[in-house]
Amino acid sequence: MSKEETRKIIHIDMDAFYASVEQRDNPELRGKPLAVGGSDGRGVIAAASYEARKFGVRSAMPSRVALRKCPTLLFVKPTFEKYQAVSKEINAIFSRYTPIIEPLSLDEAFLDVTYSKYEMRSATLIAQQIKNDIRNELDLIASAGVSYNKFLAKIASDQDKPDGLFVITPDQGAAFMEELPIEDFFGVGKVTAEKMKANDIFKGVDLLPYSKWELQQLFGKTGGFLYDIARGVDHREVQSERVRKSVGAEMTFSKDVIGEIDINEKFSQVFDKWWTRYESHGRKGRSVTLKIRNYEFETITRSITEPNYVSDKVEIREKLDQILHESIVEGVPLRLIGVSISGFEAEDSEIASQQLTIW
């Protein structure tokens, strides 16, 4: 058997994490449609309970839209310090079974249990035990995907939510991918999906006639990755120490910001906060992105990639000022401004091989 087939990867995904923590801590919220986020006209849903999802309420949805879908929707403001503390407790459970843990966010992580320190050798039984530990000790529900690579493990964890446990074995991987709709390929957004459909690619099996070179011509770097995963192949390792891929800062405004003077004032606050974080990061980057969101929740991003690593605060501020001026529409209020930087030193050569953007 190949190295790819012998690996045992688990992807744990907490079910409706923020909302579930709130329902756990407040019995009056249990069994009711709940949203974590702001309830005013400018609020956005950070997480929704499964009771709310039955009405079509989803994360990133404007609160006013969510209320139209579910008039009985309850709101609680997010408490990220609490969620971070619970996430640490979850990771402590993971560490009982393996030291190779790659957190993706507060509520999900990859675990490589190929050589687990636990007495069980079955990845499926380990995944079930982890789910049991989380339920019994933290009173929370997790779904698990088990497979021989990261991509399939992540796909698997989403197959039987909530409280799911789904396994894709090495002899099932290629056939499973053949039937998987391209919309379910993690990392394939709407634009890429439409481009794939325009080329009569609707499921994994439709990728198989294409050579790797042809897919790269159609979809750039992602094409090579698509070639592999369509065949159930993903050689990426679980990285127990993830390298931060970007450093950013953003500000969401409680009131609409309009007019050049007010917008520049808010942008200065965001820029200074971002620059402080960037300097503290200790690594220089080249790709800077400006993000703005208007009162209609339309998000606009503009990026520049410098030939040299960014080190001059005044110079990059002038360039971002120009991009901001070109991006805003006179008379249209803003609700969010953000700045981030990526393409760090010693990272550029790694990105293509790791294909991190697909996730």
Side-chain angles (χ1 to χ4, degrees), residues 3 48 55 64 74 84 105 129 136 151 168 205 217 253 263 276 290 304:
K3 180 181 178 181
F55 292 88
R64 52 186 171 81
L74 301 175
Q84 290 168 351
S105 62
Q129 189 59 50
N136 295 334
F151 187 88
I168 302 174
V205 67
Q217 293 302 303
F253 313 123
I263 289 175
T276 299
L290 173 73
I304 54 173

Side-chain angles (χ1 to χ4, degrees), residues 196-254:
M196 293 174 79
K197 290 177 181 177
N199 286 276
D200 294 324
I201 301 171
F202 299 93
K203 297 192 296 185
V205 67
D206 299 322
L207 288 165
L208 297 180
Y210 290 85
S211 69
K212 181 174 289 190
W213 182 87
E214 289 172 326
L215 289 176
Q216 288 172 332
Q217 293 302 303
L218 286 170
F219 307 110
K221 293 179 181 179
T222 302
F225 190 78
L226 291 172
Y227 179 88
D228 288 337
I229 61 172
R231 293 160 173 78
V233 176
D234 176 10
H235 294 292
R236 291 171 305 158
E237 302 289 338
V238 175
Q239 299 175 343
S240 55
E241 293 185 4
R242 286 173 57 82
V243 177
R244 194 171 187 180
K245 295 296 169 181
S246 67
V247 173
E250 64 180 40
M251 182 183 297
T252 301
F253 313 123
S254 58

Side-chain angles (χ1 to χ4, degrees), residues 72-313:
T72 60
L73 186 65
L74 301 175
F75 285 87
V76 294
K77 292 183 178 181
T79 310
F80 290 105
E81 294 82 2
K82 176 166 63 176
Y83 308 146
Q84 290 168 351
V86 175
S87 181
K88 288 181 180 179
E89 294 178 310
I90 295 168
N91 277 276
I93 291 175
F94 295 159
S95 65
R96 299 172 190 169
Y97 299 89
T98 177
I100 309 174
I101 303 164
E102 180 181 340
L104 300 180
S105 62
L106 293 179
D107 61 349
E108 61 175 319
F110 286 113
L111 290 74
D112 188 331
V113 296
T114 307
Y115 304 105
S116 173
K117 57 186 179 181
Y118 195 60
E119 61 265 22
M120 291 181 183
R121 289 304 175 201
S122 165
T124 304
L125 292 178
I126 292 174
Q128 183 61 64
Q129 189 59 50
I130 290 172
K131 281 166 51 66
N132 292 345
D133 290 350
I134 292 172
R135 181 195 295 269
N136 295 334
E137 298 175 30
L138 304 179
D139 196 17
L140 294 169
I141 305 299
S143 289
V146 181
S147 196
Y148 59 96
N149 65 43
K150 291 170 69 173
F151 187 88
L152 286 171
K154 187 165 174 65
I155 291 281
S157 68
D158 203 38
Q159 296 300 303
D160 197 23
K161 278 182 163 288
D163 199 18
L165 174 55
F166 196 89
V167 181
I168 302 174
T169 63
D171 58 352
Q172 296 170 336
F176 181 89
M177 288 303 304
E178 287 183 5
E179 296 302 314
L180 189 69
I182 55 148
E183 294 88 348
D184 294 341
F185 280 40
F186 286 99
V188 174
K190 291 182 179 180
V191 174
T192 303
E194 290 304 316
K195 187 174 182 180
M196 293 174 79
K197 290 177 181 177
N199 286 276
D200 294 324
I201 301 171
F202 299 93
K203 297 192 296 185
V205 67
D206 299 322
L207 288 165
L208 297 180
Y210 290 85
S211 69
K212 181 174 289 190
W213 182 87
E214 289 172 326
L215 289 176
Q216 288 172 332
Q217 293 302 303
L218 286 170
F219 307 110
K221 293 179 181 179
T222 302
F225 190 78
L226 291 172
Y227 179 88
D228 288 337
I229 61 172
R231 293 160 173 78
V233 176
D234 176 10
H235 294 292
R236 291 171 305 158
E237 302 289 338
V238 175
Q239 299 175 343
S240 55
E241 293 185 4
R242 286 173 57 82
V243 177
R244 194 171 187 180
K245 295 296 169 181
S246 67
V247 173
E250 64 180 40
M251 182 183 297
T252 301
F253 313 123
S254 58
K255 296 181 180 180
D256 292 336
V257 176
I258 190 169
E260 183 176 352
I261 294 176
D262 288 343
I263 289 175
N264 285 338
E265 180 183 348
K266 295 296 185 183
F267 178 60
S268 292
Q269 295 174 20
V270 173
F271 178 86
D272 289 341
K273 185 176 182 179
W274 164 72
W275 186 263
T276 299
R277 290 180 178 178
Y278 174 48
E279 287 191 315
S280 299
H281 181 60
R283 296 170 68 195
K284 300 299 183 184
R286 297 193 306 124
S287 298
V288 182
T289 300
L290 173 73
K291 173 183 174 183
I292 61 174
R293 181 176 298 142
N294 63 27
Y295 78 111
E296 293 181 337
F297 289 92
E298 178 187 12
T299 301
I300 300 170
T301 59
R302 297 286 185 269
S303 298
I304 54 173
T305 299
E306 296 290 278
N308 301 310
Y309 292 108
V310 175
S311 59
D312 190 316
K313 180 179 180 180

